[in-house]
């Protein structure tokens, strides 16, 4: 039997403070109606703690779900494009907090495709026999890069974390095939500059350098084609077709992108999991959070053929075809919560709004 990586634990951490479409109507010239119709998003989350805190809690929940202790892990792999620090990595900080003393740890950045890229890495490491049990986390604190007076971008993105445990198995279940790709020539369509060394690294960042540069329409087109093509290739590699798919769990980029890509792929909407409405686009965190939601809401059954597919900055894309294992119930639960907060969403965004204000000095004040 082929040795494969199968998901045995899942968990997520959704920060408690929501930024609703009505809140956004107070910050820029937009409407709930426009946002819902064009994106499917009603609210997104603004984290009052660091992304590492979100990652840690999602990780604890996934470990409890798998019935494993931290010392059982061989590797912690974190997908993120908004790490709390570049060094030490988020993975290393989580390793320390969990007490995962036997685990190696590193971060990976493939933007919104990060979780799929991480799963591809884990698949190779499990199949080679290098690791047995791996924690993969997707986490983002994207609101830092949002200019909430720029309606073309700020409506989309939110904060959050999701985690899964992969274990080696020879049961026949697990990751069946992988497709990964990138086209760096289109990288200018989504740029997050402030985390890099470009520009004056000593002068402090300007608002223009810090906010996400995002060409929504161009990205939309590349995303629909990229997701459908990649998922089709991954299915072909697994020797499967669209009719064999029980559920597609896509990166939650935009409800319309998901619909169009599913149509191209030949999968009807009942077999596509969408939870973007309450969470927005959380980049590398969106697929592991969606896996958690899909399993907990009974949308995944034992032995199901599950397709994960994503598209993101770089540009990058990737798809995974897996057969779910024999368990969709958690072995255990972790009861911990994030520290509580009394802050309103406008309290949490105060320094953000001040920082980006100079970019809008000539505009009439928001209502
Ligand atoms: O996760 C990584 C990948 N990310 C994505 O895949 C996101 C890809 N892109 C998108 O989701 C969409 O392109 C957006 C949601 C960003 C924009 O939707 P769209 O349907 O492409 O709108 P558009 O840019 O074509 O704009 C249509 C109109 C424009 O007005 P005019 O020129 O027709 O008068 C925009 O100015 O809508 C206007 N508009 C808005 N109106 C109200 C743009 N943003 C807004 C807004 N509220 N927030």
């Amino acid at each position: 039997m082929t040795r494969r990586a199968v998901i045995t634990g899942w968990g997520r951490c959704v920060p408690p403070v929501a930024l609703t479409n009505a809140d956004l109507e107070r910050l820029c010239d937009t409407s709930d109606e426009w946002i819902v119709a064009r994106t499917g998003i009603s609210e997104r989350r603004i984290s009052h703690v660091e992304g590492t805190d979100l990652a840690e809690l999602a990780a604890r929940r996934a470990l409890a779900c798998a019935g494993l202790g931290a010392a059982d892990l061989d590797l912690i792999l974190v997908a993120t494009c908004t790490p709390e620090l570049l060094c030490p990595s988020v993975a290393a900080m989580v390793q320390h907090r969990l007490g995962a003393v036997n685990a190696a740890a590193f971060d990976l950045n493939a933007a919104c495709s990060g979780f799929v890229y991480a799963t591809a890495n884990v698949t190779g490491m499990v199949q080679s026999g290098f690791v047995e049990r791996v924690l993969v986390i997707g986490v983002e604190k994207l609101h830092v890069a949002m200019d909430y007076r720029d309606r073309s971008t700020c409506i989309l993105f939110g904060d959050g974390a999701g985690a899964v445990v992969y274990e080696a198995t020879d049961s026949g279940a697990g990751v069946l095939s992988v497709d990964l790709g990138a086209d760096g020539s289109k990288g200018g369509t989504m740029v997050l500059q402030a985390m890099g060394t470009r520009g004056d690294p000593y002068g402090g960042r300007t608002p223009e350098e810090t906010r996400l540069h995002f060409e929504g329409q161009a990205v939309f087109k590349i995303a629909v084609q990229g997701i459908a093509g990649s998922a089709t290739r991954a299915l072909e590699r697994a020797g499967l077709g669209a009719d064999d798919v029980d559920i597609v769990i896509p990166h939650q980029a935009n409800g319309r992108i998901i619909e169009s890509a599913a149509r191209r792929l030949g999968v009807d909407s009942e077999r596509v999991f969408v939870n973007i409405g309450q969470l927005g686009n959380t980049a590398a965190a969106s697929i592991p959070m969606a896996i958690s939601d899909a399993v907990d809401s009974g949308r995944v059954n034992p032995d199901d053929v599950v397709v994960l597919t994503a598209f993101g900055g770089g540009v990058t894309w990737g798809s995974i075809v897996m057969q779910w294992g024999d368990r969709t119930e958690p072995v255990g639960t972790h009861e911990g919560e994030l520290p509580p907060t009394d802050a309103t969403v406008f309290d949490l965004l105060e320094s953000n709004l001040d920082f980006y204000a100079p970019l809008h000095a000539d505009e009439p004040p928001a209502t």
Side-chain angles (χ1 to χ4, degrees):
M1 258 303 182
T2 314
R3 191 180 143 98
R4 295 198 171 113
V6 70
I7 293 179
T8 60
W10 51 91
R12 61 174 205 162
C13 177
V14 176
V17 181
L19 175 67
T20 65
N21 290 351
D23 296 329
L24 284 170
E25 287 174 1
R26 292 174 58 186
L27 296 173
C28 61
D29 180 15
T30 190
S31 67
D32 175 54
E33 198 185 8
W34 192 96
I35 301 171
V36 171
R38 299 288 181 126
T39 70
I41 301 170
S42 297
E43 61 183 53
R44 63 295 288 146
R45 301 295 165 137
I46 305 296
S47 180
H48 66 295
V49 294
E50 285 298 342
T52 311
D53 303 316
L54 306 180
E56 179 191 349
L57 188 51
R60 289 186 188 280
R61 289 174 174 161
L63 274 177
C65 178
L68 294 180
D72 296 322
L73 294 171
D74 302 317
L75 174 67
I76 299 174
L77 180 41
V78 173
T80 183
C81 59
T82 51
E84 179 181 351
L85 297 173
L86 276 182
C87 181
S89 63
V90 176
M93 291 190 277
V94 170
Q95 187 247 18
H96 172 59
R97 292 189 194 184
L98 296 180
V101 290
N102 300 310
F106 71 98
D107 289 359
L108 170 159
N109 173 10
C112 302
S113 312
F115 183 81
V116 168
Y117 267 65
T119 294
N121 272 273
V122 169
T123 299
M125 288 192 206
V126 164
Q127 286 179 353
S128 69
F130 179 54
V131 293
E132 291 279 327
R133 299 188 185 95
V134 180
L135 179 66
V136 178
I137 305 169
V139 58
E140 302 289 3
K141 191 173 174 181
L142 277 159
H143 85 256
V144 175
M146 290 303 116
D147 171 359
Y148 287 98
R149 295 180 193 85
D150 175 6
R151 67 180 186 173
S152 66
T153 309
C154 72
I155 56 160
L156 286 172
F157 295 96
D159 304 338
V164 303
V165 173
Y166 282 100
E167 291 190 63
T169 180
D170 58 6
S171 68
V175 175
L176 305 175
S177 66
V178 170
D179 176 73
L180 293 183
D183 180 358
S185 73
K186 298 194 173 73
T189 54
M190 280 175 278
V191 181
L192 251 185
Q193 185 176 326
M195 301 284 171
T197 53
R198 181 184 295 178
D200 175 7
Y202 310 112
R205 304 291 182 183
T206 64
E208 192 55 80
E209 286 167 336
T210 308
R211 76 173 170 176
L212 174 69
H213 169 79
F214 181 69
E215 295 168 19
Q217 271 189 354
V219 175
F220 193 103
K221 284 184 200 134
I222 317 169
V224 172
Q225 290 162 3
I227 284 177
S230 174
T232 302
R233 283 190 296 276
L235 279 167
E236 278 168 10
R237 275 177 205 153
L240 299 173
D243 290 347
D244 299 309
V245 176
D246 292 298
I247 187 160
V248 179
I249 304 180
H251 165 49
Q252 307 287 310
N254 174 323
R256 280 162 53 228
I257 292 180
I258 296 172
E259 268 171 38
S260 311
R263 215 176 302 123
R264 276 180 182 239
L265 189 58
V267 174
D268 47 90
S269 54
E270 287 76 45
R271 291 185 286 152
V272 180
F273 187 76
V274 180
N275 70 348
I276 195 172
Q278 310 309 311
L279 299 173
N281 178 341
T282 57
S286 91
I287 290 184
M289 286 209 283
I291 290 173
S292 211
D293 276 357
V295 183
D296 289 342
S297 60
R299 291 285 301 277
V300 178
N301 296 303
D303 304 324
D304 269 1
V305 172
V306 179
V307 175
L308 313 179
T309 183
F311 183 89
V315 297
T316 53
W317 59 84
S319 301
I320 303 286
V321 178
M322 62 170 69
Q323 186 186 326
W324 197 263
D326 57 7
R327 185 167 54 77
T328 52
E329 295 296 324
V331 174
T333 50
H334 173 75
E335 300 302 335
E337 295 291 343
L338 291 175
T341 176
D342 294 332
T344 68
V345 73
F346 292 103
D347 294 335
L348 294 182
L349 292 181
E350 194 180 343
S351 57
N352 171 295
L353 294 171
D354 287 348
F355 181 67
Y356 290 108
L359 295 177
H360 305 277
D362 299 337
E363 298 168 14
T367 50

